[in-house]
Amino acid sequence: SNNGYKLWLQYNFVEDSKLREEYKVGLNSIFFAGNSETVKVASKELMLGLSEMLGEENFKNNKWNSQLVCASEAFLNHELKKLLKSELEEINDEGFVLKTFMVHGKQKTVITGKTDIGTMYGVYHFLRLLQTHQSIKQLNVIESPKIKVRVLNHWDNLDRTVERGYAGFSIWDWHRLPDYIDQRYIDYARANASVGINGVVLNNVNANALILTPFYLEKVKALADVFRPYGIKVYLTARFSAPIEIGDLKTADPLDKNVIQWWNKKTEEIYKMIPDFGGYLVKANSEGQPGPQNYGRNHVDGANMLADALATFKGIVMWRAFVYSEHDVTDRAKQAYSEFVPYDGQFKKNVVVQVKNGAIDFQPREPFHPMFGAMPKTPLMMEFQITQEYLGQSTHTVFLPKLFEEVLHEDTYVNGKGSIVAKDVDGSLHGDKLTGIAGVSNIGNDINWTGNVMLQANWYGYGRLAWNPYLSSGEIADEWLRSTFSNDKKFVEPVKEMLLDSREAVVNYMTPLGLHHIMATGHHYGPGPWVSNLSRPEWNPVYYHKADENGVGFDRTKTGSNAVAQYAPEVAKMYGDIKTCPEEYLLWFHHVSWDYKLKDGNVLWDGIALKYQEGVEEVKSMKKTWQKMKPYVDDERFKEVNMFLDIQLKEAKWWRDSCLLYFQQYSKKELPVGVDKPE
Ligand code: GCU
């Protein structure tokens, strides 16, 4: 049995004896040069992985004559340095090279990087090659992460509850820190390092200022010390009103001398304890959080004040663009762009603006956020949500790399065709020096970290895309399945297909054809398109679907909110014209009559109903696929996934039935043939 704790670092024994022999032949002696903490954890991981996978404990160490040599550039011997010169020139500080040479007729592999951290990433990559049963005979891998800051955002509170967390309580045990170091912290760091995540924001964006007090900073330091060898920096969410709450000041006005001084001192205090502290994440003037606007100042004033405090120490500010208020109720989707784009070019160099993937809020499908591409003089970092607030939380199996990939490949057209979102995120579109990506974590203290083991794939996949936003979701699914479960083709192929289809399934049974934000309010679990009585209009699902007897959908074209105008002209034109608007986004951008003819000839009402049904059918087929996987999966994980799929199927029907019954009051049409009657 297997409780899933080991994530994708299972290091399953290589049953195929031919392949195992091949690996052993190339690995009978191993040498690690250097003695930093990073070298220690990397060599420990390598030995753990190899001994488990090969069933071999004793590897010889023949120093430079070893068959596998792991050494960062500074430690390489003269001969290898010369041989690897051009490869080393190609990588950045976190990159690595894996290269096989034939030396005197014998196979020799070198794992190297410019730094020990880079070499460590190379070790994890090497282990992944074995985990996924690839040949290591002729390696020539040269890789660097394409994005600099690759962080997880934990929405964890100091009382260990997790905002939008569905896998138990926070893994940060503030009570036992700093002296008790839970093994989980180390395993968490290993998992992150294995996919290249190099930062963690420990606390919720709706922050408690207490985290910045010495009492908590000691605990933060203890975590930073655990994470450091793994190349992971610690960041904190800074509550904008902290100077008032913990600093005895009367104001948090970013232009006030005392406030500036308070943040300078606080920042210095943090760096004394944590010399490589990453910086601050800030949610300001959003959903009731304090911010510079409380004092008649703006985002630039707020962000730059913190940026100045951090600059001496090379820290950064991640300033969130997720803002919306009750004052602008015509279209919430427009607010972030309107508020931020005019400030382009005014932020300090160590500020990056963190933008959610879409303009509303982590829906099963959203068009890309119009801010991407629109601020050429400001680095924008992508914020994805790994925790599935609006996608069935931790019960529904939804493979998110498919969603992430879709957004990253959307074309902003700001510099002509090919100006895809990924290029704004990795800096290549406008030549940004500072680049970043954030994923809102789905991790809690459940034994298997993510509640549903299948959702470990979303943590993994986020990390892989943060390293390389051009990876395909198919490659990611393949790697993850092999490392987590089995290399058996009869398992990998069908389950890969199941994962890759799962995202479209959730779109179909929750919000087909561009519907959005019709989840029950507050917790956002399950359907609630009928809700209309909440105090703020933009909290009510009816605000988003606008169903009436004439039709359904949010008119964001010229005749409506004109949100389309926030995109480059090519994109605005495509989305703005009902004939060219992709049908996935139809009701996002248009209010459409129930009789409107879709591309497949169905009228809109029938099309919506058929999509809901399709979603249910897709979950049925996921369930069917999984049934056949029993021979390849341990009982525990097999059963757990199975139970979750049962819930998902029940709830897909719940979504279909309740949404169709609700919308039917307006369409006044029968369900088309092929759609099951409500159960
Ligand atoms: C969503 C979510 C909140 C969260 C917010 C944010 O609105 O429901 O819980 O605080 O996003 O990203 O700040």
Side-chain angles (χ1 to χ4, degrees):
S1 127
N2 185 328
N3 62 22
Y5 179 80
K6 291 205 257 173
L7 296 160
W8 49 88
L9 303 174
Q10 299 281 330
Y11 300 134
N12 290 331
F13 182 66
V14 179
E15 302 277 359
D16 178 345
S17 57
K18 225 178 106 199
L19 184 65
R20 198 168 66 242
E21 265 328 292
E22 183 196 311
Y23 287 160
K24 279 190 181 176
V25 165
L27 290 169
N28 75 50
S29 50
I30 300 172
F31 174 51
F32 247 96
N35 52 14
S36 68
E37 290 304 310
T38 299
V39 168
K40 282 183 204 153
V41 299
S43 69
K44 197 170 160 200
E45 191 75 30
L46 183 71
M47 291 312 167
L48 170 74
L50 293 183
S51 60
E52 303 260 306
M53 288 190 280
L54 306 181
E56 175 80 62
E57 301 264 315
N58 303 310
F59 297 91
K60 279 179 274 177
N61 176 352
N62 291 340
K63 285 280 166 129
W64 295 104
N65 290 326
S66 299
Q67 281 188 298
L68 177 65
V69 168
C70 309
S72 53
E73 186 174 13
F75 291 96
L76 286 175
N77 70 8
H78 187 68
E79 188 192 3
L80 289 176
K81 213 177 257 175
K82 241 172 76 187
L83 276 169
L84 289 157
K85 191 169 178 281
S86 70
E87 285 84 355
L88 280 160
E89 272 165 13
E90 278 184 50
I91 60 173
N92 66 29
D93 276 356
E94 292 179 299
F96 61 81
V97 178
L98 305 185
K99 182 124 185 149
T100 314
F101 305 96
M102 291 309 278
V103 186
H104 311 302
K106 270 180 101 187
Q107 176 186 332
K108 181 186 193 73
T109 298
V110 182
I111 304 180
T112 187
K114 282 209 164 57
T115 61
D116 286 348
I117 301 288
T119 305
M120 174 196 72
Y121 286 142
V123 167
Y124 275 112
H125 189 93
F126 184 73
L127 283 166
R128 179 157 49 239
L129 294 176
L130 271 69
Q131 283 184 287
T132 55
H133 290 192
Q134 298 184 52
S135 168
I136 54 165
K137 276 187 184 153
Q138 281 170 357
L139 295 178
N140 187 14
V141 185
I142 304 171
E143 280 214 21
S144 294
K146 297 200 190 314
I147 299 171
K148 277 198 184 130
V149 177
R150 307 178 295 278
V151 290
L152 282 179
N153 285 185
H154 283 256
W155 285 359
D156 295 16
N157 298 312
L158 298 182
D159 64 3
R160 299 192 71 182
T161 55
V162 180
E163 174 139 2
R164 311 306 179 182
Y166 315 103
F169 287 94
S170 170
I171 58 174
W172 319 130
D173 189 341
W174 297 112
H175 179 68
R176 290 182 179 144
L177 281 164
D179 296 322
Y180 182 79
I181 300 300
D182 195 322
Q183 177 64 30
R184 248 183 201 265
Y185 306 148
I186 297 160
D187 293 328
Y188 167 85
R190 289 172 53 225
N192 279 338
S194 76
V195 288
I197 290 169
N198 68 356
V200 42
V201 184
L202 295 174
N203 60 323
N204 192 358
V205 286
N206 302 318
N208 186 327
L210 287 178
I211 193 112
L212 299 173
T213 57
F215 179 75
Y216 279 100
L217 287 175
E218 289 248 354
K219 299 164 192 279
V220 171
K221 171 191 163 22
L223 289 173
D225 290 342
V226 173
F227 299 157
R228 186 168 299 111
Y230 296 90
I232 299 166
K233 282 186 184 176
V234 159
Y235 299 75
L236 293 175
T237 302
R239 185 165 168 84
F240 205 77
S241 52
I244 303 172
E245 288 161 38
I246 58 168
D248 280 339
L249 297 187
K250 295 231 156 42
T251 176
D253 181 346
L255 301 191
D256 181 279
K257 244 180 39 213
N258 295 322
V259 171
I260 295 171
Q261 200 186 38
W262 188 87
W263 281 110
N264 286 344
K265 280 230 165 99
K266 182 50 73 185
T267 306
E268 214 182 296
E269 179 191 341
I270 297 174
Y271 277 92
K272 268 208 189 107
M273 301 172 80
I274 310 166
D276 57 350
F277 178 67
Y280 301 128
L281 170 66
V282 186
K283 171 177 178 178
N285 295 120
S286 163
E287 299 186 323
Q289 294 296 315
Q293 292 170 0
N294 299 32
Y295 308 96
R297 315 296 183 193
N298 62 33
H299 292 293
V300 177
D301 300 326
N304 285 354
M305 182 264 298
L306 293 173
D308 284 339
L310 288 157
T312 346
F313 309 102
K314 303 208 157 53
I316 63 163
V317 176
M318 297 171 283
W319 191 269
R320 292 178 89 225
F322 178 68
V323 291
Y324 69 95
S325 77
E326 61 275 36
H327 306 302
D328 178 11
V329 291
T330 55
D331 189 357
R332 166 179 166 185
K334 284 166 64 179
Q335 191 173 333
Y337 179 103
S338 320
E339 221 171 286
F340 276 86
V341 171
Y343 298 134
D344 190 26
Q346 296 183 40
F347 291 101
K348 296 269 159 119
K349 280 201 179 66
N350 55 336
V351 176
V352 52
V353 175
Q354 182 168 319
V355 185
K356 287 188 182 183
N357 63 272
I360 297 291
D361 197 12
F362 299 137
Q363 296 303 295
R365 172 170 278 132
E366 292 192 40
F368 71 93
H369 201 302
M371 281 177 72
F372 287 107
M375 294 182 74
K377 294 184 212 127
T378 310
L380 300 187
M381 98 187 244
M382 171 66 79
E383 179 177 319
F384 284 129
Q385 194 184 46
I386 309 169
T387 191
Q388 291 162 226
E389 176 177 354
Y390 297 94
L391 291 90
Q393 301 180 1
S394 68
T395 43
H396 295 205
T397 293
V398 182
F399 184 66
L400 295 177
K402 191 82 184 170
L403 184 166
F404 302 159
E405 172 187 51
E406 179 176 287
V407 176
L408 289 164
H409 285 89
E410 292 284 356
D411 201 336
T412 70
Y413 277 89
V414 292
N415 286 348
K417 198 169 157 49
S419 307
I420 62 172
V421 171
K423 291 189 182 170
D424 199 7
V425 179
D426 78 8
S428 57
L429 189 61
H430 304 300
D432 306 324
K433 292 218 176 71
L434 177 57
T435 56
I437 184 164
V440 180
S441 146
N442 62 347
I443 300 162
N445 70 350
D446 275 5
I447 290 176
N448 67 21
W449 304 84
T450 54
N452 173 350
V453 287
M454 294 311 259
L455 308 183
Q456 295 174 353
N458 295 333
W459 175 7
Y460 180 91
Y462 162 74
R464 296 289 287 138
L465 284 168
W467 179 275
N468 179 3
Y470 304 95
L471 277 179
S472 78
S473 54
E475 286 171 82
I476 293 169
D478 196 270
E479 286 176 3
W480 178 76
L481 286 168
R482 289 169 187 273
S483 313
T484 307
F485 290 105
S486 161
N487 274 280
D488 198 317
K489 255 202 174 138
K490 293 199 228 77
F491 172 81
V492 177
E493 291 309 317
V495 183
K496 194 197 317 188
E497 205 181 299
M498 163 182 143
L499 290 180
L500 294 176
D501 291 345
S502 64
R503 191 297 186 103
E504 207 58 38
V506 75
V507 170
N508 288 337
Y509 66 71
M510 285 188 185
T511 52
L513 297 171
L515 285 170
H516 52 287
H517 216 301
I518 56 172
M519 293 74 191
T521 49
H523 52 72
H524 298 151
Y525 193 86
W530 45 85
V531 178
S532 63
N533 60 350
L534 294 169
S535 60
R536 281 175 60 168
E538 79 287 9
W539 285 345
N540 289 304
V542 296
Y543 168 98
Y544 297 96
H545 63 68
K546 302 196 190 301
D548 56 26
E549 282 169 23
N550 299 321
V552 59
F554 199 130
D555 183 359
R556 293 193 163 100
T557 70
K558 271 190 241 141
T559 52
S561 78
N562 205 22
V564 289
Q566 293 184 334
Y567 290 102
E570 292 88 337
V571 181
K573 193 162 164 246
M574 171 189 55
Y575 289 158
D577 182 346
I578 194 165
K579 288 198 212 75
T580 53
C581 179
E583 282 186 350
E584 297 90 293
Y585 300 130
L586 186 63
L587 307 179
W588 188 285
F589 289 113
H590 300 271
H591 190 78
V592 184
S593 100
W594 297 108
D595 285 319
Y596 177 78
K597 267 254 170 68
L598 295 169
K599 285 183 191 125
D600 64 5
N602 285 310
V603 295
L604 177 67
W605 166 253
D606 289 356
I608 291 176
L610 288 163
K611 280 284 179 200
Y612 274 107
Q613 182 69 32
E614 198 178 320
V616 171
E617 297 305 327
E618 280 159 334
V619 181
K620 279 188 197 159
S621 102
M622 287 167 69
K623 166 95 186 146
K624 220 165 159 185
T625 301
W626 190 252
Q627 291 322 290
K628 296 190 202 130
M629 296 304 123
K630 202 166 162 51
Y632 313 102
V633 186
D634 49 278
D635 282 352
E636 199 169 340
R637 290 187 296 176
F638 177 77
K639 274 194 204 139
E640 283 175 12
V641 172
N642 220 12
M643 288 187 281
F644 281 129
L645 286 170
D646 284 335
I647 300 174
Q648 190 171 357
L649 180 56
K650 210 188 327 180
E651 296 185 347
K653 291 177 183 167
W654 173 35
W655 269 95
R656 176 197 63 196
D657 295 348
S658 56
C659 289
L660 290 179
L661 278 171
Y662 170 75
F663 288 123
Q664 200 169 29
Q665 311 169 75
Y666 299 107
S667 79
K668 300 195 162 51
K669 289 175 188 293
E670 293 296 311
L671 289 177
V673 179
V675 177
D676 297 344
K677 294 267 164 336
E679 287 183 7

